[in-house]
């Protein structure tokens, strides 16, 4: 399995069926980890995802030089062929937010309700991720030429799968301002330069020592020609029908600076996009105020990954999926024997 992201690492051989069916909503790192764990225990797993390929942001958000998409797809094929996992792509499980408020919704050809899955499976795992970008909250951010980090990065990867529905941001021979200093901001800078931007400003409200991406990445971007602007906070985007400038407050000089730019990308992170957050009681799950680890207010419906905790690194999302999958399996085992009350939640909390 060299060069493959092995999601079914628990067993080298396929497991005998245990007669239980589980639905997983979302084929990102936590969803794939959940699918692999449960399939290795003999569950029949069906994974639903609105995008045309499994992998989530690993495929559709992170540039291929950081995570080659073929490594993920080899792992997906192993889940299908060896462990019998069934993937239903281009399928959106409807939620409380309107369609097309999240990136990638336009890929969905089929719409299902959460109730459909609850009624037809022994359990459901929600791993739908964080697909809605944070807003800058400044004047002019709705002008043409202003993107969120996800709006900018998603089409660059997605165009390989649906060129008729997706267009790559036009930054060739243009000046780009990127706001933020996390890995998403780094990816936007790399992508803008590779797409032919003439100049890229990276604007961050703190110092290089506080940048989430680390000083190595800042130095690398500087070497590529990016202008690093620390202790600078965006104040407003200026323009009539489209972006013409970005005004920033310089925390060093105390003055406002107006940067002539053609494109502004606010790469300041994403927020979770859970289906029916209130009905599922996800705030209680986040606080640990539940009777069963990672289980929502609806029996047999569990939650894991970024949709629960917010954007995280891939390893943390995978761990969350594995942990929640173990909890789901333990729940179904005890429930089948009418022994649910034997679960020791306090003991499980100690291993978090």
């Amino acid at each position: 399995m060299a060069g493959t992201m092995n999601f079914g690492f628990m067993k080298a051989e396929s497991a005998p069926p245990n007669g239980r069916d589980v639905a997983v909503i979302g084929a990102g790192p936590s969803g794939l980890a959940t699918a692999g764990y449960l399939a290795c225990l003999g569950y029949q797993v069906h994974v639903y995802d609105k995008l045309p390929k499994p992998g989530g942001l690993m495929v559709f958000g992170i540039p291929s030089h950081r995570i080659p998409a073929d490594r993920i797809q080899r792992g997906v094929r192993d889940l299908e062929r060896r462990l019998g996992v069934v993937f239903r792509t281009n399928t959106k499980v409807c939620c409380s937010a309107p369609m097309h408020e999240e990136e990638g919704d336009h890929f969905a050809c089929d719409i299902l309700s959460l109730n459909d899955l609850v009624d037809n499976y022994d359990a459901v795992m929600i791993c739908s991720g964080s697909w809605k970008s944070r807003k800058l909250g400044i004047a002019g951010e709705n002008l043409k030429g202003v993107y969120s980090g996800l709006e900018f990065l998603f089409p660059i990867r997605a165009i390989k799968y649906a060129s008729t529905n997706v267009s790559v941001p036009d930054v060739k021979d243009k000046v780009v301002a990127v706001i933020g200093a996390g890995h998403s901001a780094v990816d936007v800078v790399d992508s803008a330069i590779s797409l032919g931007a003439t100049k890229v400003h990276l604007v961050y409200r703190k110092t290089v020592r506080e940048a989430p991406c680390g000083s190595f990445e800042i130095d690398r971007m500087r070497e590529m020609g990016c202008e690093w602007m620390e202790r600078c906070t965006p104040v407003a985007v200026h323009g009539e029908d489209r972006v013409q400038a970005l005004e920033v407050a310089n925390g060093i000089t105390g003055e406002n600076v107006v940067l002539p730019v053609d494109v502004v990308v606010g790469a300041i992170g994403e927020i979770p996009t859970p289906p029916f957050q209130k009905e599922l009681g996800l705030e209680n799950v986040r606080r640990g105020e539940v009777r069963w680890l990672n289980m929502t207010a609806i029996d047999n419906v569990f939650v894991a990954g970024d949709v629960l905790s917010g954007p995280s690194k891939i390893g943390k999302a995978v761990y969350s999926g594995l942990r929640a999958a173990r909890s789901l399996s333990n729940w179904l085992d005890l429930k089948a024997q009418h022994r649910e009350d034997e679960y020791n939640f306090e003991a499980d909390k100690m291993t978090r």
Side-chain angles (χ1 to χ4, degrees):
M1 299 275 291
T4 297
M5 294 190 76
N6 183 8
F7 303 105
F9 61 87
M10 287 178 55
K11 286 192 175 181
E13 303 296 331
S14 59
N18 66 11
R20 294 176 182 161
D21 296 339
V22 171
V24 177
I25 304 172
S30 60
L32 293 175
T34 293
Y37 184 98
L38 294 175
C40 283
L41 297 180
Y43 287 83
Q44 175 60 65
V45 182
H46 289 75
V47 182
Y48 296 83
D49 197 280
K50 64 185 177 183
L51 300 175
K53 289 279 185 180
L57 286 176
M58 293 188 296
V59 171
F60 291 91
I62 300 174
S64 56
H65 67 267
R66 282 187 31 203
I67 302 181
D70 61 329
R71 291 185 58 198
I72 302 163
Q73 295 310 317
R74 284 197 293 271
V76 168
R77 285 196 298 271
D78 177 64
L79 289 178
E80 291 177 313
R81 297 172 183 176
R82 182 169 63 88
L83 296 173
V85 175
V86 177
F87 288 90
R88 286 191 57 179
T89 55
N90 300 103
T91 302
K92 169 89 172 181
V93 178
C94 67
C95 61
S96 46
M99 282 289 287
H100 305 299
E101 277 200 355
E102 303 170 12
E103 202 64 43
D105 277 0
H106 60 278
F107 278 114
C109 299
D110 294 324
I111 307 294
L112 298 177
S113 74
L114 180 60
N115 286 338
D116 289 337
L117 302 187
V118 172
D119 291 342
N120 289 291
Y121 290 90
D122 294 292
V124 177
M125 180 72 76
I126 299 172
C127 302
S128 48
S130 297
W131 285 95
K132 190 172 181 179
S133 296
R134 296 185 186 278
K135 293 289 187 179
L136 292 170
I138 60 176
E141 70 174 323
N142 293 321
L143 284 170
K144 186 177 180 180
V146 179
Y147 299 85
S148 69
L150 197 52
E151 285 173 333
F152 188 90
L153 292 169
F154 180 83
I156 297 172
R157 300 295 296 273
I159 198 168
K160 300 175 183 177
Y161 305 102
S163 58
T164 56
N165 295 333
V166 180
S167 59
V168 173
D170 179 15
V171 297
K172 184 173 176 59
D173 300 326
K174 294 182 178 179
V175 180
V176 179
V178 181
I179 300 165
H183 289 289
S184 292
V186 171
D187 292 342
V188 171
V189 171
D190 282 336
S191 299
I193 291 174
S194 68
L195 290 171
T198 56
K199 186 173 184 61
V200 179
H201 303 275
L202 185 57
V203 180
Y204 185 49
R205 60 190 175 90
K206 297 182 181 179
T207 67
V208 66
R209 293 190 302 275
E210 299 166 283
C213 66
S215 58
F216 173 82
E217 289 288 0
I218 301 297
D219 290 341
R220 183 180 67 82
M221 286 187 290
R222 280 169 161 169
E223 292 174 0
M224 294 169 63
C226 175
E227 181 181 352
W228 167 252
M229 301 178 64
E230 67 180 21
R231 294 187 63 188
C232 289
T233 303
V235 174
V237 180
H238 297 298
E240 294 182 7
D241 57 342
R242 64 167 301 112
V243 175
Q244 294 177 311
L246 175 68
E247 182 179 352
V248 300
N250 190 315
I252 300 173
T253 66
E255 299 177 346
N256 283 13
V257 179
V258 177
L259 304 172
V261 299
D262 305 295
V263 174
V264 173
V265 184
I268 57 173
E270 289 73 47
I271 57 178
T273 50
F276 306 109
Q277 176 164 300
K278 290 183 180 179
E279 293 87 338
L280 293 170
L282 294 193
E283 282 303 324
N284 293 335
V285 181
R286 294 185 182 106
R287 292 193 295 263
E289 298 173 357
V290 291
R291 65 192 179 100
W292 195 272
L293 185 67
N294 280 65
M295 191 166 75
T296 69
I298 302 176
D299 278 1
N300 302 348
V301 178
F302 292 73
V303 62
D306 290 2
V307 72
L308 179 64
S309 61
S312 64
K313 293 184 177 179
I314 291 172
K316 184 177 179 181
V318 167
Y319 173 71
S320 177
L322 293 173
R323 198 157 156 269
R326 182 186 66 177
S327 178
L328 180 155
S329 182
N330 289 341
W331 162 261
L332 290 181
D333 285 343
L334 287 177
K335 187 178 180 182
Q337 303 170 53
H338 306 289
R339 296 168 52 204
E340 300 97 310
D341 293 340
E342 295 182 21
Y343 177 67
N344 188 338
F345 181 75
E346 290 302 320
D348 206 345
K349 283 173 66 176
M350 297 298 292
T351 65
R352 293 188 183 194

